[in-house]
Amino acid sequence: MTQHETHHDPTSIRICVIGAGYVGLTAGACLAHLGHTVVCTDQSVLRVQELQRGTLRIVEDGLPDIVERMVALGRLRFSADNVESVGDADFVFLCLPTPQSEDGSADLSHVLDVAREIGPHLRPDAIVVDKSTVPVGTSTLVLDALGRLDVMVAANPEFLAEGTAVRDFLHPDRVVVGSDQPGAAERVGSLYKALDTHLITTDAASAETIKYASNAYLAVRLSFVNSMAGVCEAAGADIAAVMDGVGSDHRIGRAFLTPGPGWGGSCFPKDTSALLHTSYARGFDFTLLRSATDYNREHQRWMVSKVLATLGDEVEGAVVAMWGLAFKAGTDDLRDSPAIEIARQLTERGCVVRAFDPAVRHHVPGVTVCTSYVEACRGARTLVIATEWPEFIGADLGAAGRVMQDRALVDLRNLLHPDTAAAHGFRYEGVGRARSGVADRNVQVAG
Ligand code: UGA
């Protein structure tokens, strides 16, 4: 047990977390770990029953363990009843989905519906905390929807990355809390005092904007890196060496400078789109961000052209093996996964895609999901590495190559050493690596 867990204080702060998805469940379990008493609710009775039985649908490192420990300590429980659960809560965290609407904006209906539902049942002085990623002005809308003058609202955006969410929660770079109501941000900030972290308190709009700005900055940065991979191929330079040099500048830093198949996931595409939409609606055309999102699509087309180049004139019916389907390693999340988009474009061109992902066992439309990485290679002419799962680094390339019809390898994560691939008879193509072919951007047939 850690220092936060040694004793259960019956007078501890009571928190209700609404939404037991990946953000809500992580936040709920971690807030319990910090010593608070938490009830986590979800509208899905089935999900609540599963959680009560100790079954988690989410693949998230360390989460099952912390949930189990907090439940055992009596600090975490689950309920499908929002109204009953908020009744004695000092803080109510909204961890609800804000999906992308058809026009690109964030759909706030889940957040506002719940605010209307719980408003009349909150205790006086309760603070409703928005953890969902929400556009500027949402705090005010939530306060209106609550319909109460004796409660407060604060924005406390999460910076959890899938796969490292528990670590990110418990070891944050910063905690951001914003509110326009006096004292609310400080009270929410005090929930995190056991973390001994950098607390940034702001007005509500600034806190809401920090979240979008962080994700937009990282997305722009990755589009820059992926574009630099193109420059490196054209210049005969190596992207990893270049980024080691660039990232050594303390003003830049080395993180988030690895090229890949394009950025994806449940956050960057949705949040960049929402920020573009909000900015435009308020009279600012964020052309830099627009270019970064446009380039991301172009980059994925370039990745497809790298694969097609290995197939020459015989694309129709060609079997392509794909290692990895998730948008990144450490998760089973396929939302806006570049692997899925690349597989779709290959299928559209007549290829047959056989895939293996250690975290994905279910049916994926348009793709044959295989039970092993060797099985995915059966009959394939080209192997594509789309997700950076560590197990692919030590994969038996000899065994994979033996069941393939031809040995081309397109490594969209620069995961393998080109010499290792060559030693097993593979023609290797990476992203921005010194050995990668310059001409392939325009779909040339590689050797
Ligand atoms: C992202 C942010 O990193 C979190 O801080 C934020 O809280 C979260 O969104 C959110 O808004 O909820 P996540 O979507 O889990 O987290 O994924 P990231 O680890 O940021 O990766 C995003 C994409 O960038 C992935 O497609 C990944 O493969 C790609 N990436 C990342 C690269 O191509 N290169 C890199 O060097 C890093």
Side-chain angles (χ1 to χ4, degrees), residues 22-23 133 158-162 211 215 218 222 226 255-268 271 327-328 338 388 413:
Y22 133 84
V23 172
T133 301
E158 51 85 14
F159 301 99
L160 312 176
E162 289 183 31
K211 171 61 196 254
N215 277 0
L218 291 171
L222 289 176
N226 286 334
F256 262 75
L257 291 181
T258 305
W263 41 268
S266 65
C267 304
F268 285 4
D271 293 351
F327 81 98
K328 65 172 183 178
E388 74 283 24
R413 297 284 183 172

Side-chain angles (χ1 to χ4, degrees), residues 25 44 46-48 50-51 54-60 332:
L25 193 55
S44 161
L46 182 66
R47 182 180 289 188
V48 169
E50 284 175 353
L51 287 166
T55 309
L56 267 69
R57 283 198 210 173
I58 304 161
V59 173
E60 190 58 57
D332 62 347

Side-chain angles (χ1 to χ4, degrees), residues 64-192:
D65 177 53
I66 194 168
V67 167
E68 189 185 325
R69 278 186 292 126
M70 291 307 114
V71 169
L73 284 167
R75 296 221 204 111
L76 178 64
R77 67 181 178 89
F78 302 100
S79 165
D81 189 340
N82 288 343
V83 166
E84 178 261 335
S85 301
V86 299
D88 67 349
D90 305 299
F91 296 86
V92 178
F93 279 73
L94 304 181
C95 299
L96 296 156
T98 50
Q100 192 173 321
S101 309
E102 262 177 29
D103 65 0
S105 63
D107 173 359
L108 287 178
S109 56
H110 298 284
V111 172
L112 298 180
D113 284 350
V114 166
R116 277 187 283 270
E117 179 195 7
I118 62 172
H121 308 282
L122 294 168
R123 53 181 289 180
D125 288 335
I127 300 186
V128 175
V129 187
D130 235 324
K131 236 191 194 327
S132 316
T133 301
V134 288
V136 173
T138 303
S139 286
T140 314
L141 297 177
V142 168
L143 196 56
D144 288 348
L146 292 170
R148 292 274 296 266
L149 296 173
D150 56 347
V151 300
M152 296 197 280
V153 173
N156 172 214
E158 51 85 14
F159 301 99
L160 312 176
E162 289 183 31
T164 55
V166 172
R167 193 183 71 202
D168 294 342
F169 194 102
L170 296 176
H171 304 280
D173 293 330
R174 76 302 208 188
V175 167
V176 174
V177 194
S179 178
D180 297 333
Q181 291 164 289
E186 290 72 19
R187 271 180 63 197
V188 176
S190 71
L191 295 175
Y192 297 93

Side-chain angles (χ1 to χ4, degrees), residues 304-313 315 427 440 443-447:
V304 170
S305 76
K306 276 178 178 283
V307 181
L308 293 176
T310 64
L311 301 172
D313 295 332
V315 172
R427 300 189 307 282
D440 298 342
V443 197
Q444 304 267 321
V445 180

